[in-house]
Amino acid sequence: MSTENKYPMMQISFVLNGKACGTTIEPRELLIDVLREKFQLTGTKRSCDVQVCGACTVLVDGLPVSSCSTLAAEVDARDVQSIEGLSQHGQLDPIQRAFVEHGAMQCGFCTPGMVLAVKSLLAQDPHPNEETIRHYLRGNICRCTGYVKIIEAINDLASRHG
Amino acid sequence: MLPPRFELHRPSTIEGALELMARFGDDATFYAGGTELLVAMKARVLRYAHLIDLKKIGSLAEIHLNGSGGILIGALSTHHQISCNPYVITHFPGYAALSENVANIRVRIAGTLGGNLCFAEPHADPATLLCALNARAHLVSLKGRRIINISDFILGEFSTAREDGEILTHIELPPLPHGARAVYRSFGQQERPTAGVAVVRTPHATGPEWKIWAGAVSSRPLELSLVTEAVKGVADTHVIDQIRVQSEVHAETLEIHDDAHGGADYKRHLISVLARRAAEDCLS
Ligand SMILES: Cc1cc2nc3c(=O)[nH]c(=O)nc-3n(C[C@H](O)[C@H](O)[C@H](O)COP(=O)(O)OP(=O)(O)OC[C@H]3O[C@@H](n4cnc5c(N)ncnc54)[C@H](O)[C@@H]3O)c2cc1C
């Protein structure tokens, strides 16, 4: 089998966790591999590989996408946020803090995707009710089934003023 | 897993996309959100040397009012964009609600209506309600344009009336008659629907007309036309139960198969339950 690449490579530049960056990719490369291997950002987890589980969720222009099924070429000229970009100056994001305070994680594998999905939800709707929270997170699966604590953490965030 | 290698083309016009398709033929396919295509390519079920991305053609993602109360939805509109669109929410609230319930938030953000219809996976939601709403597909190729009913567009499992060189550009929803209501209800235990039922109630001088379509249960959406006949002239106070019973009777005659989503009997039962619930919503 030939491994020679006869297809043209592509240059992409994008903002990653607040910093401008660029790289050269094959058109078929997936965002998750570029994040994990080229940028060493291994907080983004691969699991189902078919957009069902949510473990690989990152935000592109503030909206959640499955990085396992998104071509890296798609993020050219866009803004990408992975879990590593959430804390500021060594301080956890309020969502991360709420997850810690409520013990909203067990093995932690789904947590990066879960936290980023919540980030996007609260940016659109700072005070969602529980039905909205459950609907939005339908595609983020926690195989430890730690949902009660996760919902508690988000309810807490949603009930805060400001 | 990585898909096999390909070249990615990003034309900014429909003509550009059609010309690329004419040049590469069977080696090429159109690429929208990629939610079906990339999964199938990663699994080596599909293989193409050229992907023609349609997302740089801005006009294909627009949603416009079309006449009084009708709308024209660009095929590259995502389920998420459709669910948030003020025209869709105002004129077809049942369709906005359907779009908000497709898959999960990430698939709604990437996946387009056009991709959903062109892929024609039977366990899908939009086609069922679009059939009940008499929606039409607008197609364009180097040979010209044509418009066909969505009910004629979906031919079966992964099969549509679209020819290889054609782009689905728009989905046209004709205005609903004054006072009409359209509701979609679905149920599933897995990601995709096991069954979905669309009900449209249209008031007429001679009494309301009820139109019912069932989807995801067969290779393409099916109209339960016997129910429409059976409940003609039935008063609203009695119609709900009639719709449930008649849907069950008609569903018995439909070709419905067992699959991973459930047995045929179970799906027939779901049709009658969902038809009743959707009909109740039309009256509420
Ligand atoms: C996890 C998961 C859950 C899902 N759940 C549901 C569900 O509950 N209900 C439901 O209805 N659907 C569901 N889907 C299907 C989803 O709606 C579709 O995957 C999506 O809408 C397809 O659009 P796309 O833009 O990603 O298509 P792509 O994957 O980009 O394309 C699909 C096919 O259509 C062709 N194509 C795309 N656009 C055009 C066009 N404009 N003209 C001509 N050809 C075109 C492509 O060549 C390709 O063959 C689910 C999908 C996933 C992955």
Side-chain angles (χ1 to χ4, degrees):
Chain A
M1 200 175 75
S2 159
T3 52
E4 189 202 339
N5 179 15
K6 60 179 173 145
Y7 301 104
M9 303 289 280
M10 298 176 89
Q11 269 293 333
I12 54 169
S13 16
F14 57 108
V15 174
L16 176 56
N17 296 331
K19 283 200 206 91
C21 64
T23 185
T24 304
I25 53 160
E26 279 190 60
R28 65 166 174 167
E29 275 185 77
L30 299 163
L31 181 57
I32 189 168
D33 297 320
V34 169
L35 293 176
R36 287 180 58 91
E37 308 208 347
K38 290 207 169 127
F39 292 94
Q40 307 288 305
L41 297 174
T42 53
T44 303
K45 304 299 183 198
R46 171 176 267 124
S47 182
C48 76
D49 219 23
V50 290
Q51 301 224 37
V52 169
C53 76
C56 71
T57 302
V58 298
L59 304 184
V60 176
D61 292 342
L63 293 175
V65 307
S66 301
S67 60
C68 74
S69 301
T70 302
L71 296 180
E74 291 293 342
V75 303
D76 185 39
R78 297 173 76 181
D79 183 280
V80 179
Q81 191 164 30
S82 72
I83 193 67
E84 290 86 350
L86 223 55
S87 62
Q88 297 289 330
H89 316 295
Q91 297 288 312
L92 291 183
D93 184 271
I95 299 170
Q96 292 172 307
R97 238 180 296 129
F99 269 57
V100 173
E101 283 160 13
H102 287 268
M105 67 201 72
Q106 292 182 39
C107 82
F109 200 79
C110 72
T111 311
M114 202 67 89
V115 167
L116 287 170
V118 175
K119 182 88 186 161
S120 158
L121 166 65
L122 295 181
Q124 294 164 62
D125 178 358
H127 306 292
N129 62 24
E130 189 166 324
E131 193 189 334
T132 306
I133 296 168
R134 285 172 181 268
H135 175 69
Y136 201 85
L137 292 182
R138 194 169 78 184
N140 286 79
I141 294 173
C142 168
R143 270 294 86 114
C144 307
T145 69
Y147 296 107
V148 171
K149 302 270 180 205
I150 292 170
I151 301 283
E152 275 174 18
I154 307 164
N155 272 331
D156 181 5
L157 288 160
S159 63
R160 291 182 194 171
H161 297 291
Chain B
M1 192 203 277
L2 274 178
R5 291 200 164 97
F6 55 81
E7 183 171 355
L8 184 61
H9 304 266
R10 303 185 130 163
S12 55
T13 62
I14 293 179
E15 295 69 31
L18 292 173
E19 279 160 19
L20 283 164
M21 186 51 99
R23 169 143 46 111
F24 296 116
D26 287 348
D27 282 343
T29 193
F30 296 121
Y31 161 66
T35 58
E36 298 287 15
L37 187 62
L38 292 177
V39 170
M41 287 180 70
K42 287 198 294 184
R44 305 306 197 258
V45 174
L46 295 175
R47 191 182 282 264
Y48 297 98
H50 300 271
L51 297 198
I52 304 169
D53 188 0
L54 300 174
K55 291 192 293 298
K56 301 279 179 220
I57 310 173
S59 62
L60 290 184
E62 291 171 2
I63 300 178
H64 293 289
L65 272 182
N66 190 30
S68 54
I71 48 178
L72 207 53
I73 302 178
L76 273 281
S77 307
T78 64
H79 301 294
H80 178 65
Q81 287 164 342
I82 293 169
S83 71
C84 303
N85 182 271
Y87 298 140
V88 182
I89 292 172
T90 305
H91 297 289
F92 297 92
Y95 184 50
L98 176 154
S99 301
E100 180 58 38
N101 282 302
V102 165
N104 59 50
I105 182 68
R106 298 178 308 281
V107 173
R108 289 197 291 279
I109 282 167
T112 65
L113 173 57
N116 184 295
L117 296 172
C118 290
F119 201 66
E121 141 77 75
H123 285 283
D125 296 295
T128 310
L129 181 56
L130 293 176
C131 285
L133 291 171
N134 300 318
R136 306 196 301 168
H138 291 223
L139 296 153
V140 65
S141 70
L142 290 175
K143 286 185 271 177
R145 296 177 177 274
R146 63 181 181 128
I147 300 178
I148 65 172
N149 293 331
I150 295 288
S151 54
D152 297 323
F153 180 78
I154 308 280
L155 298 179
E157 252 179 0
F158 306 106
S159 164
T160 70
R162 187 181 70 83
E163 285 168 18
D164 286 343
E166 276 183 318
I167 295 176
L168 174 62
T169 60
H170 293 89
I171 293 83
E172 176 192 344
L173 292 176
L176 272 176
H178 187 70
R181 298 275 309 263
V183 172
Y184 177 79
R185 284 285 204 134
S186 69
F187 184 78
Q189 314 89 322
Q190 306 177 16
E191 279 295 314
R192 300 170 194 243
T194 301
V197 174
V199 175
V200 180
R201 178 186 181 275
T202 310
H204 290 294
T206 51
E209 179 198 48
W210 293 85
K211 249 172 85 169
I212 299 171
W213 282 74
V217 293
S218 188
S219 62
R220 56 195 293 267
L222 302 167
E223 182 170 12
L224 275 62
S225 49
L226 299 180
V227 184
T228 304
E229 284 305 308
V231 302
K232 231 182 215 156
V234 176
D236 281 347
T237 44
H238 292 84
V239 81
I240 299 294
D241 208 44
Q242 282 289 308
I243 286 175
R244 182 186 62 76
V245 172
Q246 294 298 334
S247 298
E248 194 144 12
V249 171
H250 191 153
E252 279 303 321
T253 69
L254 299 176
E255 204 175 306
I256 294 174
H257 303 288
D258 301 342
D259 66 12
H261 294 256
D265 283 358
Y266 171 60
K267 292 185 206 168
R268 291 198 170 93
H269 175 67
L270 277 183
I271 291 173
S272 69
V273 172
L274 295 170
R276 172 175 63 74
R277 291 184 186 168
E280 280 171 351
D281 288 350
C282 285
L283 291 179
S284 69

